Amino acid sequence: MLGVLTRRLGDFDRAEEALSEALAEALSRWPDEGVPDSPTGCLVTTGWRKALDRLRRDAVGREKLLRLAAEPPPAPGVDDRLTMIFGCCHPDLAEPTRVELTLYAASGLSTAEIAPAFLVPVPRMAQRLTGAKRQCASAASVF
C-alpha cells in the first residue's frame, strides 16, 4: 500500500502520512460498517483521496500567501493597538480569556508571565491562549 501511494505521489513522507490517515479512518469506520471486500484497495483509495485533499489545501494556502505577498503591507497606525485590545475583548470570549489574551497580544507579556497571575501552569495558559486565538480566528471579523 505504501509502495503504491509513494509511486503515485512521488513523495514517501506524503504517502506515509496519507496511509496513516486512511488507517485511522478505517479503524473508526470499519467496526460499524464492516470490513470491505478489498481492504487493501480501500486503504489505497482512501489514502490517495486524503493525499489529494492535502495537496489541494496546500495549493490554496500557497495562492493566498502569494496574494498577500503581492499586496504592500499596511502602514502602522495609531489605532492598531486599540484595535488589538478591542479584538481581544470580543464578547464571544469568556471574561478571563479576554484579559489573558489582551495581556498577551496587546501588552506583550509572555505566557510564562501571565500564567502565575491566573494561578495556572504555563502549559495550561498556552492552551487557553491558543484556544482564544482560534476562537478569534473563527469569528473572522474580530480583527
Side-chain angles (χ1 to χ4, degrees), residues 11-106:
D11 184 338
F12 182 83
D13 288 335
R14 194 176 298 271
E16 200 172 35
E17 185 177 308
L19 184 57
S20 176
E21 289 178 20
L23 286 167
E25 187 170 321
L27 287 172
S28 69
R29 291 181 136 192
W30 291 0
D32 296 331
E33 299 174 9
V35 177
D37 293 336
S38 174
T40 303
C42 183
L43 288 170
V44 169
T45 300
T46 302
W48 174 246
R49 289 179 181 155
K50 297 279 185 190
L52 290 179
D53 289 345
R54 174 67 55 108
L55 289 168
R56 287 184 190 115
R57 278 193 308 272
D58 291 350
V60 168
R62 280 191 301 278
E63 289 174 20
K64 287 181 180 180
L65 186 59
L66 288 173
R67 270 186 285 166
L68 287 173
E71 295 176 12
V78 178
D79 294 335
D80 287 342
R81 181 172 272 179
L82 186 59
T83 301
M84 179 63 71
I85 292 170
F86 282 129
C88 291
C89 294
H90 195 273
D92 287 349
L93 298 173
E95 189 171 329
T97 304
R98 293 179 200 170
V99 176
E100 296 161 359
L101 194 57
T102 303
L103 288 171
Y104 177 78

Side-chain angles (χ1 to χ4, degrees), residues 121-141:
V122 175
R124 177 66 185 126
M125 180 55 64
Q127 288 175 335
R128 287 163 62 162
L129 289 170
T130 301
K133 289 186 270 185
R134 194 174 305 127
Q135 193 174 356
C136 286
S138 68
S141 63

